[in-house]
Every structure is written in structure tokens, then in C-alpha cells.
Amino acid sequence: MRRSGSSLAVLSLGALGVVFGDIGTSPLYTLRECLRELGGGAAPAEVLGVLSLLFWSLTMVVTVKYLTFVMQADNEGEGGIFALLAILPQSQSKDPDRAPAVQGKLGFVPVLVVIGAALLYGDGAITPSISVLSAVEGLSVAAPVLSRAVVPLTCVILLLLFSVQRRGTKVVGRVFGPIMLVWFSTIGALGAYHVAKAPAVLAALWPGHAVTFFAAHGVRGFLVLGSVVLAVTGGEALYADMGHFGSRPIRVVWLTFVMPALVLCYLGQGALVLSHPELASQPFLGMVPKGAATYAMVALSSVATVIASQALISGVFSLTHQAMQLGYFPRVTIRHTEGSVEGQIYVPEINRLLAVACLLLVLGFKTSARLASAYGLAVTGTMVITSVVYYVVVRKVWHWSRLVAIPVLLLFLAFDVPFFAANAVKFAAGGWVPVLIGVVVVSAMLIWSHGRTLLFEHYEQRFPMLEDALPKLAEKLAARVPGCAVFMASSSGRVPATMAHFIHRVRVLPETVVLLTVRTMRTPSVPDKERYHVEALGSGMHRLTVHYGFMEKPFIPAVLQHARDVEHLPVNLDEVTYYVGRDHLLASKGGAMGRLAESVFAYLSRNAVAADRHFGMPSRQVLEIGMQLDL
């Protein structure tokens, strides 16, 4: 991963502003929700037990699982659940022209990854909603008369947040980083102040209090885990956002600054509740005096929660890009916002969908307490899946023995499964929201993958190998005309459907023909020396194959420029005509895909970014050739 011109300090500050926002604002509501699950009780044993659970969850899930183990499983610097899939050896078709998602029938692990990725979309919609809403609700604590303004103000803040995404992660991180520096310093200092006033709370660091808590509370203690997990919901985002800043800045910032500040804040809230049990309903704001200090903390919290949302938003952008390049998602607009760091991107279509989803959640749930019931199920499901896929990686890629790999898997699942089970109980109370979002995204991904597979197989059966077909196609030509044609070819070994259709109907062909195949590799980027392959086929025809990593954006004019200057391909960029296909799917009863699934696939295909925009072709030089198909 390129990091040219970016020092560790700069990247660390940017990571502080983008990556840690989600997990960094959890103290706003986590302890409150845990105590509420206990009926609002604030007995010393209960407070120490909950604090012990919070500390050891942060330690084992974030520090041990993600930072120590999972973040080692990067794909040339890129993280996230799709990166885990990308580094697994392919066990299906070896056809290099197919994206991994269209290699054949999806196996168990790819389906798991798709489900885990889809659940993260649900988390990406809920995180901004609950984070901003919980901060703005502080106004009703400071001045109850302002309670009616909470929901409208939250919606305004969310709209502003999504409107600045086009500026890019670097700009956002540069602005947000110093603010989060103030945020973590403030909550850490407040926590330390209250711990100093009641140092007995430090006993919560002993894991025995967590064990005693479960022994005393039984089922209710288990259900509290559904709120404890709120403290670690940003862990998956750390891994998904790794491509934006790299693993080292994330590890350094977490260990030296973020985790100490969080632990002090939670302990400080616990110390306050031990001394003033009546503050159990709002322990975070209770750490500051009422009046001007409360308003100042609400303002800082509001800004911090806006930043908190950035971690999941950036993670969803990266996830979408990887899914698209690996063949699990329709083409969307990918805008790279920083030249020195490949993973910093902006996806306008996803940004708009997330904005709408967040607004609907805020308007529907209205309070962070109700929304908390919907929070957690999605991310804990993804955490379980990440653990399982990580086990497959260490066994198949790193060749760990079962004696080592299985204990590590069991250690991860010892936290992941109870968290997931505790949140599953909240399904009817709001947990259905991320599940519904996940089901929609899973269905779209699997239908898209299956449709692309059938489409590829259709072209394989209908259009013969290039070497066999060229003589027959030449017989149908009435003339060769001046100019250069670039036909996009999904397979480098077969006749492009657009060219065959064009010759059959028009019976002419330009003097220079380039059959261009773009292959997406299972690595984030491809070195320039390995990117191009040019082959002369005779009679003015040339085969050009170009390779891109799944985190790179293809740009065809630059490809042709390089092929002309370096590979001596005889093309004039101003005279090139790009021929691209536009399939019209009939979705009738006769197709193998089924009417409903094919209708969904057709809808996704129609709304995907057009090939000329995706590949950067000049629109005035593009000619679309349409064909009707029934899959």
C-alpha cells in the first residue's frame, strides 16, 4: 500500500479522526444502557461487574482479536471481510477472465463473507443515527424545554455529515483528527478526575468481578452483554478502515491513547455512579457540572458523534468498492479522493442511500434508547463470521496447525457468540432493522453474482473461441473502413459479443481493431510492469489485456495511451470508437434464473454505472450495442 509523503504522525491523526470515532463515542450511552438492562440498579457489585465486562471486552475483542490477530490478515494493506476472502486460494474455476464471484457456484465461505458484509451495511446505517441522536439528547438533560428539537437537529446534523463526504477521507480526517484529540483528552481527563475521587473503582479491572456478576445475575447478566457489546462495536470498523491509513497508525493510536482514554472514561462514570447512584440514568453527562459545562459537553459530544459516524461510512465505502471489484456488487461511482493512499475513496450512490436510511431510523425510533435495541445484532453477526473466515485463512493460507488455530478460534468465539446471542434476544425490539437491511443487501449480492455467472456462461456457449471464429467472421465482412474500434471483451479468448453482433448486422469493420479485456485481480493493486499484455492477431486486429487490483479504478484512455507509446499499438486516441454492450434482460418464465430473480438482476443492471463512465471512456466516442437476453 502506498504511503508516500505521509508520516506516521499525520496518518495517526487522520486515523484518530476517521477510524476511532465509532468506538470512541460509545461511552455516551454504553454504561447507561448496561445499568438500564439491570433495571436502573447501581449497587457496587453490579457497577464493578459491568465495568469489568467493559474493560475485558475492549481488551480481548479489540486489542487481542482485531489488532493482534485479524489485522495481520491484510490483502496488501487492505482490510475488511472481503479482504479475508480475497487472500483465500481459489478452489473453483481457474478462468482468469471471471471475477471471483462468478467462478461458479458460491461456496460456504464466500456466502458467509457476503452475509457478514451485508450486516455491516446495517451497522453503517445505525451507527450515525444512534451516535448523533445520543449526543443531541443531552440538550433535553440540560434544558428539558429543548427536547422537541432533538430529532430535527439530529436530522440536520446527519445531512451536513453526509454532504461533506465528497471532500474525501484525508480532508475529513484532517479536520476531525484534532477534534477527536480534544474529545479523547477530555473524556480521559474527566474519567481520571472521578477515579481519583473514588479509587476503589479500579478493582473492576480484576476479571473476577465479571465472573461474580454472571454468577449473581444469571440470565439477566447474560442479557446485559447485549449492551456491553456497544463498547466494542467499532472494532470491525478498525479492520474495514485499515486501507485508509494502514495498520501501524491504528495500533499505535489505540494502544497509547484511545484505549487508555476509554477505560478511564468508563471507570470515571462507574466511580460517579458508586458515589451518586441517582446519576445512573445519565452517567456520562453527570461527570460535568450542570450549566455551561453541560452545554459545552453536549456541543463537543455532538461534534464527536458526527465524527464517530465517519468510521462506518468510510468502511462501507471500502466494502462496496471491494465487493464491486470482486463481482458481488453492481458498478457504482468510485471517486479516489487521495493520490498517495489508494484506499481513500468516496461512493456517492452509497452515501445517498446511507443518508436516507439514517434519517428514516432517526424519525422512526426517535430516541437513542429505542435505537440501542436495534444496534449490535448486525456487528456481532459480522464479528462471528470474521472469526470463522479468519480461521479458514490461517489454516489454508498460513498453514497453521489445528492445535494452534482451533484454540484461537474458540477464544474469539467465546466473546463473539455470547454477544451475538444476547443481541438476538432484542430482535423484536429493533434488532430486525439491521437484519432487514442485511437480507436486502445479501439478496442483491447473491442475485448479482448468480446473474453474472449465467450471463458469462451464456456468452461462453453462444460465442466461440476467437481463433476459430475469426475466419468465419472475415467472410461476412463487406468492407474494412478507416478508423479504430475498441471492443470490450469479457473473455480474452472468445469473440466479444458486441463485435459479433456488429459484424452480423453492419458487415463492416474498421481497419484497426482492439479487443480489450479488463481483469480484476485478487490483490488491491497491480504493478505497472504486470498490468499490460498486447498480442497481434493479424489483419489489423490486436488483443489487449489489462490487469487491475480490486482497489484500483480502470481508466481505458490511459491504457490505450500506454499501449501506443510503450507497446506500439497502432491507435489514434482521437479517432477511437469504443463499442460497449448493453444487455436487455427479458425476465420471462423460460429463463433458468427465474422471473423474480432475473427482474431484480435486470433492475440492478439498469441502475449500475454505465461501462463508459466506469472505464473513463469519452462519451462522444462511445457506441452502445444492445442485445436481448433471457437468463
Side-chain angles (χ1 to χ4, degrees), residues 554-578:
F555 189 65
I556 299 307
V559 169
L560 295 178
Q561 180 79 39
H562 174 90
R564 186 190 69 180
D565 297 342
V566 179
E567 309 291 344
H568 308 295
L569 189 68
V571 296
N572 184 333
L573 294 182
D574 295 329
E575 298 179 358
V576 167
T577 299
Y578 301 90

Side-chain angles (χ1 to χ4, degrees), residues 20 24 29 63 72 78 130 154 157 163 174 216 278 292 294-295 352 355 366 397 403 432 438 447 462 503 542:
F20 293 102
Y29 45 79
T63 305
Q72 293 185 38
E78 290 298 329
I130 189 174
T154 299
I157 292 174
S163 68
R174 186 184 298 157
E278 70 276 7
T294 301
Y295 285 108
R352 288 192 291 269
K366 292 185 173 60
V397 180
L403 292 176
W432 57 270
I447 287 174
R462 183 174 174 183
I503 292 175
H542 306 267

Side-chain angles (χ1 to χ4, degrees), residues 548-560:
Y548 280 98
F550 66 81
M551 291 301 289
E552 296 181 300
K553 179 175 175 57
F555 189 65
I556 299 307
V559 169
L560 295 178

Side-chain angles (χ1 to χ4, degrees), residues 218-512:
V219 175
R220 174 169 283 188
F222 168 75
L223 294 178
V224 169
L225 288 179
S227 298
V228 171
V229 76
L230 297 174
V232 298
T233 49
E236 190 72 31
L238 302 187
Y239 183 44
D241 281 331
M242 190 166 64
H244 289 258
F245 299 99
S247 59
R248 189 183 176 202
I250 292 174
R251 288 192 178 102
V252 169
V253 172
W254 171 258
L255 293 172
T256 63
F257 186 57
V258 172
M259 185 176 177
L262 289 175
V263 171
L264 283 172
C265 184
Y266 284 122
L267 291 175
Q269 291 183 53
L272 180 70
V273 172
L274 288 177
S275 304
H276 303 279
E278 70 276 7
L279 294 177
S281 61
Q282 274 293 353
F284 181 81
L285 286 177
M287 289 196 297
V288 297
K290 287 187 176 181
T294 301
Y295 285 108
M297 180 54 75
V298 169
L300 179 60
S301 301
S302 300
V303 176
T305 52
V306 168
I307 299 169
S309 309
Q310 189 64 47
L312 262 297
I313 295 172
S314 301
V316 169
F317 288 166
S318 296
L319 195 69
T320 301
H321 191 195
Q322 294 180 43
M324 182 188 74
Q325 296 293 66
L326 292 172
Y328 295 98
F329 208 86
R331 284 194 299 262
V332 292
T333 304
I334 301 294
R335 296 178 186 170
H336 289 263
T337 58
E338 172 57 29
S340 63
V341 183
E342 293 167 275
Q344 296 191 5
I345 59 175
Y346 166 64
V347 186
E349 295 91 344
I350 299 300
N351 192 60
R352 288 192 291 269
L353 288 174
L354 283 177
V356 171
C358 287
L359 292 175
L360 290 176
L361 285 171
V362 170
L363 294 173
F365 284 84
K366 292 185 173 60
T367 68
S368 62
R370 293 177 61 192
L371 198 52
S373 298
Y375 201 36
L377 186 58
V379 72
T380 52
T382 304
M383 286 165 58
V384 172
I385 292 172
T386 297
S387 297
V388 174
V389 180
Y390 178 79
Y391 169 79
V392 178
V393 168
V394 300
R395 289 283 295 137
K396 292 191 174 182
V397 180
W398 299 345
H399 305 295
W400 287 15
S401 68
R402 285 191 177 90
L403 292 176
V404 177
I406 290 179
V408 171
L409 173 64
L410 293 178
L411 176 64
F412 293 168
L413 294 181
F415 288 84
D416 296 343
V417 172
F419 281 146
F420 177 77
N423 277 278
V425 176
K426 300 179 180 181
F427 181 85
W432 57 270
V433 173
V435 173
L436 177 61
I437 296 173
V439 167
V440 172
V441 176
V442 165
S443 300
M445 285 186 174
L446 294 182
I447 287 174
W448 182 257
S449 172
H450 184 52
R452 288 194 66 206
T453 300
L454 292 177
L455 195 61
F456 197 95
E457 291 174 350
H458 170 83
Y459 285 134
E460 279 186 332
Q461 296 169 5
R462 183 174 174 183
F463 300 102
M465 297 302 293
L466 190 62
E467 289 75 9
D468 300 331
L470 284 180
K472 296 179 181 179
L473 291 174
E475 294 175 0
K476 296 183 179 182
L477 286 174
R480 298 293 292 270
V481 296
C484 176
V486 173
F487 289 97
M488 299 300 296
S490 58
S491 172
S492 59
R494 296 183 180 275
V495 176
T498 51
M499 188 177 82
H501 203 61
F502 184 77
I503 292 175
H504 278 301
R505 297 301 173 190
V506 184
R507 301 181 67 83
V508 298
L509 203 61
E511 293 174 343
T512 302

Side-chain angles (χ1 to χ4, degrees), residues 37 65 86 192 213 262 311 356 369 412 444 468 522-523 552 600 629:
E37 193 69 48
K65 176 183 174 179
F213 176 83
L262 289 175
V356 171
F412 293 168
D468 300 331
R522 292 171 69 93
T523 55
E552 296 181 300
V600 174
L629 301 173

